[in-house]
Amino acid sequence: MDVSNYTIATLGSHSALQILKGAKDEGFKTLCIAKKGSEKVYKSFGVADEIISVNQFSELFSLQDELVKRNTILIPHGSFIAYMKIDDFKDMKVMYFGNKDVLEWESARDLERQWLTEANIKIPRIFETPEEIDRPVIVKFYGAKGGMGYFLAKDTKDFYEKMTHHTNEKYVIQEYIIGVPAYFHYFYSLLTNELEIMSFDKRYESNVDSIGRISARDQFALKKIDPSYVVVGNIPITVRESLLPEIFDMGERVVEKSKELISKRGLFGPFCLEGVITPEADIYIFEISARIVAGTNLFAPYSPYTYIKYGEPMSTGRRIALEIKNAIKENMLSEIVC
Ligand code: ATP
């Protein structure tokens, strides 16, 4: 099956190396839209047949005619959502892998909460007002990139003290779940109706992941060290095998509910449930990402799970390309792009 008359393209950031490598391995032409100065990364790794340099990622919209001419399929990742408006995507005429209707549901905190709750997923309690705080909470700002500025508060007074550094920012007050963080990476195929577990990671965050290297005595001596959650990388994990049935079920419930709540096709392709596992083995999910997440970058060529399933290199990036290839083969491409 020759797919070389299709081009798989993405923005040069986040998980582009993995996406483009996977596309090349499946026989597609590849195109990277890179910010000036970062082209050398994509050149050096040899993953892009073509690189288009831009000053800003939003220039993607003015490149549409060029992309359509090349029979391009765009693969979204975290930088699409972080740097561009959802409405701009909706009008785009370039083929886009995934369901654009899902974007609104994952990016609006109240819709996301409705989706997870109706899918019977445990989520941390949300406090509508600071006065209701009766346990440790994490305060998250809207549109925060990589957990910048989030803080912990132990009660209402602590909340107001820490809020003095923030004015006019929208935020949510969430119960802080004591346990270990874990990010569950899935892939749901619309072609086979099968949900696959791809891999798991946890994040490497500055400075919360290194505060433990400083003794409590020294933390006091150094006065103000507040934890922050700025993501600088990812760490691979496997989970106890006895947790896998629940992890599968959670993913299936989220997919099923999306078909009911969002649109007929619902959520498909790669997605991630982001949560905390408590000592009682309860899994709380505080966020869903309805696309490839950067934690999957750890698993090119494969994760322990995709190796067991496929017996050959299968990253999430490659799995996306394989899905597109299978859809082309079965004349079903229009089902998985919009
Ligand atoms: P994203 O980039 O995925 O949109 P983010 O980086 O803005 O999200 P989160 O992933 O929501 O931030 O959270 C940042 C950090 O805080 C993570 O380490 C996460 O494990 C931890 N965290 C978030 N919510 C909770 C919670 N309710 N209880 C305990 N830990 C939490």
Side-chain angles (χ1 to χ4, degrees), residues 28-316:
F28 288 93
K29 284 214 182 69
T30 56
L31 165 68
C32 180
I33 299 150
K35 274 202 202 149
K36 292 209 167 85
S38 62
E39 302 95 330
K40 56 177 170 289
V41 174
Y42 302 94
K43 257 191 212 131
S44 163
F45 285 104
V47 291
D49 295 320
E50 192 184 353
I51 297 177
I52 299 181
S53 301
V54 293
N55 290 310
Q56 285 170 358
F57 284 143
S58 53
E59 286 171 42
L60 167 67
F61 299 102
S62 54
L63 294 172
Q64 292 196 58
D65 290 336
E66 285 296 307
L67 298 181
V68 170
K69 251 191 256 162
R70 290 170 177 76
N71 224 1
T72 298
I73 301 161
L74 265 181
I75 312 297
H77 55 55
S79 300
F80 282 68
I81 314 290
Y83 300 107
M84 288 185 262
K85 289 200 213 82
I86 293 180
D87 284 343
D88 292 338
F89 281 115
K90 294 222 152 159
D91 306 328
M92 238 176 20
K93 47 190 180 186
V94 185
M95 288 185 278
Y96 170 101
F97 175 69
N99 183 352
K100 288 181 191 165
D101 294 337
V102 173
L103 294 174
E104 262 151 13
W105 281 78
E106 63 138 30
S107 57
R109 288 199 193 267
D110 45 346
L111 291 178
E112 179 186 42
R113 213 164 118 200
Q114 181 190 349
W115 180 7
L116 292 174
T117 313
E118 289 195 24
N120 220 355
I121 302 289
K122 285 197 192 77
I123 61 170
R125 183 170 158 195
I126 304 288
F127 294 91
E128 300 300 339
T129 66
E131 282 63 36
E132 289 168 38
I133 299 174
D134 63 358
R135 65 194 82 178
V137 294
I138 178 165
V139 180
K140 300 180 173 185
F141 294 93
Y142 280 50
K145 289 186 185 74
M148 184 95 80
Y150 289 9
F151 65 81
L152 299 183
K154 62 178 193 300
D155 52 29
T156 307
K157 184 166 166 279
D158 194 26
F159 169 87
Y160 280 116
E161 275 168 20
K162 289 176 175 160
M163 262 322 258
T164 54
H165 309 294
H166 300 272
T167 39
N168 294 330
E169 287 171 70
K170 275 188 89 179
Y171 59 83
V172 62
I173 306 172
Q174 221 175 61
E175 169 187 13
Y176 188 81
I177 306 291
I178 310 282
V180 288
Y183 292 67
F184 310 106
H185 315 148
Y186 301 89
F187 189 96
Y188 175 65
S189 168
L190 261 195
L191 305 177
T192 61
N193 283 326
E194 190 187 337
L195 179 76
E196 298 168 31
I197 281 183
M198 302 302 288
S199 45
F200 309 115
D201 80 298
K202 63 176 193 165
R203 292 179 174 178
Y204 195 38
E205 292 163 327
S206 189
N207 59 16
V208 74
D209 285 321
S210 67
I211 285 180
R213 291 160 55 107
I214 305 172
S215 71
R217 188 198 58 198
D218 289 338
Q219 289 184 32
F220 277 120
L222 295 169
K223 292 242 166 48
K224 250 187 83 40
I225 309 182
D226 284 321
S228 58
Y229 299 86
V230 178
V231 183
V232 294
N234 302 84
I235 301 168
I237 52 178
T238 54
V239 300
R240 280 172 71 163
E241 206 153 301
S242 56
L243 288 170
L244 289 181
E246 172 60 6
I247 294 170
F248 263 112
D249 287 352
M250 288 191 324
E252 278 165 1
R253 295 200 299 268
V254 165
V255 168
E256 279 318 304
K257 195 42 82 175
S258 73
K259 293 184 196 218
E260 207 180 287
L261 283 180
I262 302 174
S263 62
K264 210 169 111 239
R265 290 193 289 184
L267 169 68
F268 63 88
F271 69 100
C272 175
L273 294 179
E274 312 183 354
V276 175
I277 309 177
T278 70
E280 295 74 34
D282 285 329
I283 304 176
Y284 284 83
I285 298 298
F286 53 80
E287 185 154 312
I288 175 166
S289 291
R291 64 198 128 75
I292 187 169
V293 291
T296 62
N297 288 341
L298 290 160
F299 305 108
Y302 39 55
S303 77
Y305 302 99
T306 63
Y307 180 72
I308 292 165
K309 187 167 175 70
Y310 288 92
E312 60 168 339
M314 190 56 68
S315 65
T316 294

